[in-house]
C-alpha cells in the first residue's frame, strides 16, 4: 500500500490529466494482451491478434511483440476512442469535485483508493511506503489498460509531480463501442481497397522498406512495390530516402483513412 500525505496546498493544486498518452497506455496494454483472461478486453485481444497475424511475422500467441510495432497494431487504431473515453472520466471527476468538493471526488476515485484526510491510501500491491507531499500538488490520470492504480514518482509522472494513475471501469457497452467500431471500419477499408492493399496500408503504420512490407505480409517484393505505388499515388503513403534505404510511411490522409 502507498500512502500519500497531502497538505492543504496539495489539495488546492490537484491537476487532473485526461491521459498520460498513447505510449504510456501501450506499455500497460502489452501486459493486458498477455493475460489469458475472459474479460472486457477479450474482444480487443482477438482483434489485435488478427491484426498482428495479418501484418507481422511476430507470433502473437508468444511473448508480447516489440513495443513500437505493438503500439501501432494494438493501441494506435483505437486511440481516438480511448482518449475520448478517458476525457469523459476527467469530466466526471470535475463535475463531482464541483458538486461535492475535491475531497468528495477523491473518496470516489477507485475502490482500492481511500481518502482519510490528510492521507490518500492506494491499496495496489506496490511496496508499502509513505510519500509526504510538500504543497506542489499531485496529478491524477485515468488509464484504460492499467490493471490496478499506480503511483509514479515526480521524475516519471507528469509536470514533475507525483502522479496517481488509476484504472477506469469498462463495462460491456463501453467495450463494444471501443473495439467494435474499429473492426467495422477495417472491413469497409478492405472492401474499398482490397484485402492485400488494405493490409499494406496498415503495415506502414510502422514505417518500413518494401522488403519489410514483403516480409510482414508474406507477399513478394514486386507485389508489395506495386501496392505501395498505388497507395502513394492516392496520397495515402509517402516514400522517403534515408541514406541508402527507401522507407514508406503513412501520410496524414493515410492515418485519417485508417482511423
Amino acid at each position: 500500500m502507498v500512502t500519500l500525505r497531502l497538505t492543504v496546498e496539495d489539495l488546492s493544486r490537484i491537476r487532473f490529466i485526461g491521459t498520460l498518452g498513447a505510449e504510456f497506455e501501450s506499455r500497460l496494454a502489452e501486459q493486458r494482451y498477455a493475460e489469458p483472461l475472459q474479460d472486457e478486453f477479450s474482444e480487443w485481444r482477438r482483434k489485435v491478434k488478427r491484426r498482428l497475424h495479418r501484418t507481422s511475422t511476430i507470433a502473437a500467441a508468444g511473448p508480447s511483440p516489440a513495443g513500437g510495432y505493438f503500439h501501432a497494431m494494438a493501441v494506435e487504431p483505437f486511440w481516438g476512442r480511448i482518449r475520448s473515453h478517458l476525457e469523459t472520466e476527467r469530466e466526471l471527476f470535475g463535475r463531482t469535485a464541483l458538486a461535492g468538493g475535491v475531497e468528495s471526488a477523491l473518496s470516489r476515485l477507485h475502490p482500492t483508493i481511500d481518502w482519510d484526510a490528510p492521507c490518500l491510501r492506494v491499496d495496489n500491491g506496490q511496496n508499502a511506503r509513505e510519500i509526504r507531499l510538500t504543497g506542489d500538488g499531485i496529478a491524477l490520470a485515468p488509464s484504460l489498460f492499467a490493471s490496478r492504480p499506480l503511483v509514479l514518482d515526480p521524475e516519471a509522472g507528469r509536470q514533475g509531480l507525483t502522479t496517481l494513475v488509476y484504472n477506469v471501469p469498462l463495462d460491456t457497452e463501453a467495450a463494444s463501442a471501443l473495439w467494435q467500431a474499429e473492426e467495422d471500419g477495417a472491413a469497409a477499408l478492405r472492401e474499398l481497397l482490397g484485402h492485400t492493399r488494405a493490409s499494406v496500408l496498415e503495415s506502414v503504420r510502422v514505417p518500413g522498406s518494401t522488403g519489410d512490407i514483403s516480409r510482414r505480409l508474406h507477399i513478394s517484393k514486386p507485389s508489395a512495390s506495386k501496392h505501395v505505388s498505388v497507395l502513394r499515388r492516392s496520397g495515402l503513403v509517402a516514400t522517403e530516402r534515408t541514406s541508402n534505404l527507401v522507407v514508406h510511411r503513412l501520410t496524414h490522409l493515410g492515418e485519417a483513412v485508417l482511423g
Side-chain angles (χ1 to χ4, degrees):
M1 177 181 289
V2 180
T3 300
L4 301 168
R5 185 175 289 272
L6 281 67
T7 67
V8 173
E9 290 80 9
D10 292 311
L11 282 173
S12 67
R13 295 174 180 171
I14 289 177
R15 296 165 174 81
F16 197 88
I17 301 165
T19 172
L20 289 181
E23 291 185 7
F24 179 80
E25 286 294 315
S26 291
R27 293 196 294 272
L28 299 174
E30 289 194 65
Q31 301 171 22
R32 282 284 192 181
Y33 181 74
E35 294 172 350
L37 302 175
Q38 290 297 318
D39 57 12
E40 62 272 22
F41 293 93
S42 296
E43 183 62 22
W44 169 76
R45 292 188 189 96
R46 287 192 289 270
K47 292 179 186 297
V48 171
K49 180 177 285 190
R50 286 198 293 269
R51 294 174 67 87
L52 291 169
H53 275 306
R54 288 200 307 265
T55 58
S56 174
T57 57
I58 301 173
S64 290
Y69 195 82
F70 183 83
H71 166 75
M73 296 294 106
V75 175
E76 188 175 288
F78 307 97
W79 182 242
R81 289 182 293 279
I82 291 172
R83 183 172 54 199
S84 295
H85 185 72
L86 297 178
E87 288 290 344
T88 299
E89 175 67 20
R90 179 173 70 170
E91 292 170 6
L92 177 61
F93 180 90
R95 290 196 297 269
T96 303
L98 285 173
V102 171
E103 294 184 69
S104 174
L106 288 176
S107 67
R108 302 178 185 181
L109 201 58
H110 190 273
T112 65
I113 298 174
D114 178 59
W115 170 248
D116 183 12
C119 293
L120 191 63
R121 295 184 175 88
V122 186
D123 187 6
N124 61 356
Q126 288 182 281
N127 293 334
R129 58 176 175 148
E130 179 175 293
I131 301 173
R132 291 177 175 267
L133 302 182
T134 57
D136 293 329
I138 183 174
L140 305 177
S143 168
L144 182 71
F145 289 106
S147 58
R148 60 186 181 182
L150 301 168
V151 177
L152 306 180
D153 292 328
E155 57 271 21
R158 179 61 64 89
Q159 300 173 346
L161 298 174
T162 297
T163 300
L164 173 56
V165 178
Y166 67 97
N167 47 308
V168 300
L170 185 63
D171 58 28
T172 302
E173 183 177 350
S176 177
L178 285 173
W179 317 136
Q180 188 60 46
E182 185 276 339
E183 185 69 10
D184 293 342
L189 183 63
R190 288 194 295 273
E191 185 176 349
L192 176 66
L193 298 179
H195 184 277
T196 302
R197 192 163 295 160
S199 296
V200 170
L201 186 62
E202 285 185 353
S203 76
V204 293
R205 286 185 188 274
V206 178
S209 66
T210 302
D212 292 331
I213 296 170
S214 171
R215 287 188 293 274
R216 290 171 187 171
L217 302 181
H218 304 289
I219 60 177
S220 68
K221 288 183 69 174
S223 177
S225 178
K226 177 181 177 181
H227 288 300
V228 167
S229 294
V230 173
L231 293 169
R232 183 169 54 247
R233 292 196 300 271
S234 301
L236 302 177
V237 169
T239 300
E240 300 172 343
R241 180 176 293 276
T242 304
S243 298
N244 294 323
L245 185 65
V246 175
V247 176
H248 312 294
R249 62 169 180 79
L250 285 178
T251 63
H252 291 306
L253 178 60
E255 292 173 354
V257 167
L258 285 176

